[in-house]
Amino acid sequence: MIKKIAAAVALALAATCNIHAQYNAGQAFIDAPREVFPLVNTMTRMDMIDYFESGSQTPSNNVLEGKSRITEMSPTMLKADLSSVSSYTLALLPAGSDTIIAVIQTLSVPFADSSIQFYDEQWDELTKKKPFTSPTLADWLLPTAKGHEKDIENVIDFIPAAYVMDSNGHLTLTHSLKDMLVEDDYDIVKEYIRPSLSYQWKGGKMVMLK
C-alpha cells in the first residue's frame, strides 16, 4: 500500500512539473486577467493564437470593433498589435525557480510611449519589490548636458520612450522626443539626451547597462 501511495505521489508531482514545463507565453496570454489585455477576451486570445500558429494573417475583432493580431510568438515571448495604436509584448523571465511575467504596453498616439508591469505566474502584480524602476531625466542626460539641466527641464516635462525587449531579457528604451516636441525645442535638447537606454534582466530585476 505504501509503495502504491508513493507511486501515486510521484506521478502527481511529475504531472505538475510537466504542466509547469509546458507553461509558455501563449498560455500566459490566455490566462491573463481581463484588465491586463482589456481589448481582447479569453476566446479572442485563443483565436488569435490559432490564427498565428496556422500561418493565417486573419485578424480578430476586439471589443472596440478594431483589429487585433499576434505578430510574434515563441515559448517565452508573445507580441501583439491589439489596435491600430496599441501594441503589447508579453515575456516570461526566469527568477530562480520562479517565472516572472513582464507585459509591455506601447501606445502610439501621437508619439510612441511605453509602460511595463511585472506579475508572478498567478498574475498577481509585483508591487512590493518592483523589478524595474523607470529612468529619471538624469538617466537620459549625456555628459554634455552638465550646466544645461535647467534649460532642458524648461523644454521637457517628461521623456516618452518605446520599450523593446528581446528573448534574452534585454530591454531597450528609445525616446520619442522628436515626435513629441516642435522642431525648435527638439533642436535645443537633442544633443544632450541619450537616444536610448539599455537594461538586462539579472537576478530577478532589470539592471541598467552603462
Side-chain angles (χ1 to χ4, degrees):
M1 177 62 72
I2 293 176
K3 288 184 178 180
K4 288 183 178 180
I5 293 174
V9 170
L11 286 172
L13 288 173
T16 300
C17 291
N18 189 48
I19 290 172
H20 183 81
Q22 292 177 354
Y23 193 71
N24 55 43
Q27 189 59 53
F29 181 60
I30 293 171
D31 293 343
R34 183 64 180 270
E35 58 265 25
V36 178
F37 302 109
L39 291 180
V40 286
N41 61 31
T42 301
M43 292 301 297
T44 301
R45 296 178 214 169
M46 295 173 68
D47 287 342
M48 291 168 65
I49 290 174
D50 286 343
Y51 286 137
F52 181 86
E53 290 182 333
S54 67
S56 172
Q57 296 297 313
T58 302
S60 299
N61 291 327
N62 59 44
V63 296
L64 299 179
E65 298 303 319
K67 303 300 181 183
S68 301
R69 59 166 58 83
I70 292 172
T71 58
E72 182 180 327
M73 188 169 64
S74 71
T76 59
M77 182 169 289
L78 181 148
K79 296 183 179 183
D81 293 333
L82 296 192
S83 75
S84 60
V85 296
S86 65
S87 61
Y88 287 78
T89 297
L90 182 156
L92 302 185
L93 302 170
S97 60
D98 298 324
T99 298
I100 301 301
I101 305 169
V103 177
I104 297 171
Q105 179 191 37
T106 300
L107 300 178
S108 302
V109 180
F111 45 81
D113 193 30
S114 299
S115 61
I116 185 169
Q117 281 77 39
F118 295 85
Y119 305 85
D120 62 22
E121 286 188 65
Q122 288 70 49
W123 281 102
D124 293 320
E125 187 171 0
L126 304 182
T127 55
K128 291 185 178 180
K129 292 184 178 181
K130 293 187 176 182
F132 174 76
T133 301
S134 299
T136 64
L137 177 59
D139 293 322
W140 284 99
L141 295 183
L142 289 163
T144 53
K146 187 174 180 61
H148 300 279
E149 291 88 351
K150 289 297 181 182
D151 293 334
I152 296 169
E153 289 176 2
N154 288 335
V155 174
I156 302 173
D157 292 326
F158 72 103
I159 296 185
Y163 294 15
V164 176
M165 188 184 296
D166 68 19
S167 59
N168 295 315
H170 184 263
L171 177 67
T172 302
L173 281 57
T174 303
H175 74 69
S176 308
L177 288 174
K178 187 173 183 179
D179 296 323
M180 183 183 80
L181 300 175
V182 296
E183 186 175 355
D184 288 346
D185 285 345
Y186 181 67
D187 287 341
I188 292 172
V189 302
K190 65 181 181 181
E191 63 182 294
Y192 304 127
I193 306 295
R194 302 178 192 277
S196 63
L197 297 174
S198 295
Y199 297 77
Q200 183 63 49
W201 181 256
K202 294 180 181 179
K205 62 181 180 180
M206 283 292 175
V207 178
M208 184 183 288
L209 302 178
K210 300 298 184 179

